[in-house]
Amino acid sequence: ETCYGVLCREYEHSKDAMFEFLLQCADQLPHKIPFFGVLIGLINLENEDFSKGIVDTTHANLQDALHNENRDRIRILLRFLCGLMCSKVVLPNSIIETFEALLSSAATILDEETGNPSWQPRADFYVYCILASLPWGGSELFEQVPDEFERVLVGIQSYISIRRHFDDIAFSVFETDEGNSPNKKDFIEDLWERIQVLSRNGWKVKSVPKPHLSFEAQLVAGVSHRFSPISCPPPTISQSSSEIVKGQEKHEADLKYPQRLRRLHIFPTNKAENMQPVDRFVVEECILDVLLFFNGCRKECAFYLVSLPVPFRYEYLMAETIFSQLLLLPNPPFRPIYYTLVIIDLCKALPGAFPSVVVGAVHALFDRISNMDMECRTRLILWFSHHLSNFQFIWPWQEWAYVKDLPKWAPQRVFVQEVLEREIRLSYFDKIKQSIEDAVELEELLPPKAGPNFRYHSDEGKESTDGHRLSKELVAMVRGRKTQGDIISWVDEKIIPVNGAKFALDVVSQTLLDIGSKSFTHLITVLERYGQIISKLCPNEEMQLLLMDEVSAYWKNSTQMIAIAIDRMMGYRLLSNLAIVKWVFSPANVDQFHVSDRPWEILRNAVSKTYNRIFDLRKEIQTLRKGLQAAKEASEKAARELEEAKSIIEIVDGQPVPSENPGRLRRLQARADKAKEGEVTTEESLEAKEALLARGLEESKELLRLLFKSFVEVLTERLPPISADGDVPNLRAGDPNVNSSARDPEATTMEIDNENGGDNDSSQLNGQNKKISHNVGELEQWCLCTLGYLKSFSRQYATEIWSHIAMLDQEIFVGNIHPLIRKAAFSGLCRPTSEGSHL
């Protein structure tokens, strides 16, 4: 009432601004749509043209959103229509017509002849939008147009019966989620069941405000406007009957119409808030809307999250929803840092409630960490370490002290170890050591105190060698500002002829790394100034592998610096992405796959940098093409103006001469020359970028080939065989087939200390050498981790994999490939339906 009174007073002066603001508010504060609907309804009583304009603009916006595939706008505008209908601004029959148009389009998409079932995600989205709007207007539709409304519900039931069930196993946070059975409802089926429960309960929803009921006597006097029929874009017809093309289309549809939420049930039912299924859905939607529209304003986001207009508490549901977004596969909607900041601000906004909820969530996720997807596990480690850094690293570590007694490869132990390592990156060693003083047992899990391990360190007690002498000479040359050419000549003349190229690389790389060891900036400066020396010494992959060994040896006490140095060297093209992949899959690193994130971090950086280059090049080429078109138009215009000026002549003393001023002709000529030069320059830049893109795409193809080949080789060596009956081994169940005795002992041994991963003073263990075979649990965990990362790369780079799927199928996945490898490699390429993946 207060707001309406203000709007009435300002109406004459600010009608246009009010119009825009009301539409913007409904668009960007959708959880308050019922209130904005009532405001427009009250204005409708005084000024029908204003509300008619709102309805017409909403129709234009919805039509535009449908054809531009703006998912969020379609969903919210349908909710807004329901809000307007509740306030007597829109006719209920118009809403029914809109729903039926969407249902008709959805059914057409699924038709084999007139549509394209590969685009079922779009059809599902249309039906989801209808279902999602029913809590906001279902009761009014049921009261005012019951027969027509029943027809819509029957249409939805018919659609549900003909659509294909989606199986999201490859996108599940937990590998052994109870929902992995074929009978589990997918998101649309689950939402339809919630709406059916709502229907049986008389369409009563606690979580949706009903402000229109307080003004019903007034609103009923208003004129309801007709919402014009909408037209949905025609279905995308498949260009080929090829299974690969269908799979690519399905992947494209999944990308354009992704599932908005995959519920993450963290808390037991006796802890989480007790609410009706549809109320849970409505609050989840409101939380996701706030996260969407305030993704650049963390404090405002937290403010709106804690003040949703619902009559019950929802802290546990809010935590589950935010964590579900943070851990959403294949990618969260926003950068993980955003969710970190929101959780921090929520802890500050609700100091008495939310911190304890977050603690409970962390403990619940930690308890299930062994079943968590590897990508989600990495995200959780990064989030948790960053979160603790904002709260003085305070955590009840003594509750997790028992992990020290677990095997070094146990997921919970690795999780704590990686969190502590990441905390040190965000602080310093002594601070983190102090933070775990209540759990001194965990000090064993701390990484070594960071510091260089310089092989040629000057020490009076150490014997001086050729390496020490040459390293000192190189340091003197660097301090003396010698050029790269001088240093390269010195290496060629003084080191390589006497000691060989490998020794030269050893001395030069160790010394330059030591010079750049003070900070990141020092390292980057050294690589910029003296990178050519390293490049000269590493002309092939063999030498590049040795260079990475040197980096790893120098920074053996700092995982972070190894990753940064290798990443920077790849940036300066001192290392190739192929060499990095080969180094990560070298035996020493393969043995670390299940006990450390170090090799995976380096591999992730290399692969993402490769594809980021391609993404950037495509963006630059797109910009250059637009620039070239503009440059051509400008050049043609300048040339035309010059020709027109030259064509105007007059007769002087019986002779035709240009009538234009010579000065203007010179200016036009200069402008035409400059425009033509700009066109040529832009065209040359475009050609250069396209050549770089072609090279980059070829590099990415080789990278993909090598990456999958490496995964297949190491997994084939270690995975347990399929049984004689053809049963695939269950790695998580401690399958009796998982043992190392049936394999080549050289291929299945690792350097391990003792059961707990601690040092063993004796060189013998029970009379056997320390180099022993994997026990069942360790081999099983290694396989699970490696398969998990293979699946992660498959999901992350699905688009690129689809581009080269034929090559991979013909060159890598040939012969008797283990089904677990094939499943991990391909299951993340698109969501399989009940009939199975196209692959």
Side-chain angles (χ1 to χ4, degrees), residues 609-623 689 693:
K609 189 178 279 289
T610 299
Y611 287 107
N612 285 344
R613 281 176 183 166
I614 292 172
F615 176 80
D616 292 341
L617 282 169
R618 281 180 172 147
K619 206 171 179 181
E620 289 171 17
I621 286 171
Q622 192 176 8
T623 305
K689 293 292 182 185
L693 178 61

Side-chain angles (χ1 to χ4, degrees), residues 298-349:
R298 47 181 280 203
K299 293 193 180 299
E300 287 81 357
C301 177
F303 169 76
Y304 280 106
L305 282 176
V306 301
S307 55
L308 295 178
V310 295
F312 45 75
R313 298 185 65 170
Y314 53 91
E315 289 90 353
Y316 285 96
L317 177 55
M318 183 159 61
E320 285 187 339
T321 306
I322 294 172
F323 277 107
S324 74
Q325 295 299 97
L326 173 65
L327 302 178
L328 187 66
L329 295 170
N331 292 301
F334 304 102
R335 292 177 182 271
I337 184 72
Y338 170 52
Y339 303 102
T340 306
L341 298 174
V342 169
I343 292 171
I344 290 167
D345 286 330
L346 286 173
C347 288
K348 294 175 180 176

Side-chain angles (χ1 to χ4, degrees), residues 794 801 805 809 813 821-830 839:
S794 167
I801 293 170
I805 198 78
D809 203 41
F813 295 95
I821 301 177
R822 186 178 289 276
K823 180 181 177 185
F826 288 143
S827 63
L829 297 190
C830 58
L839 289 164

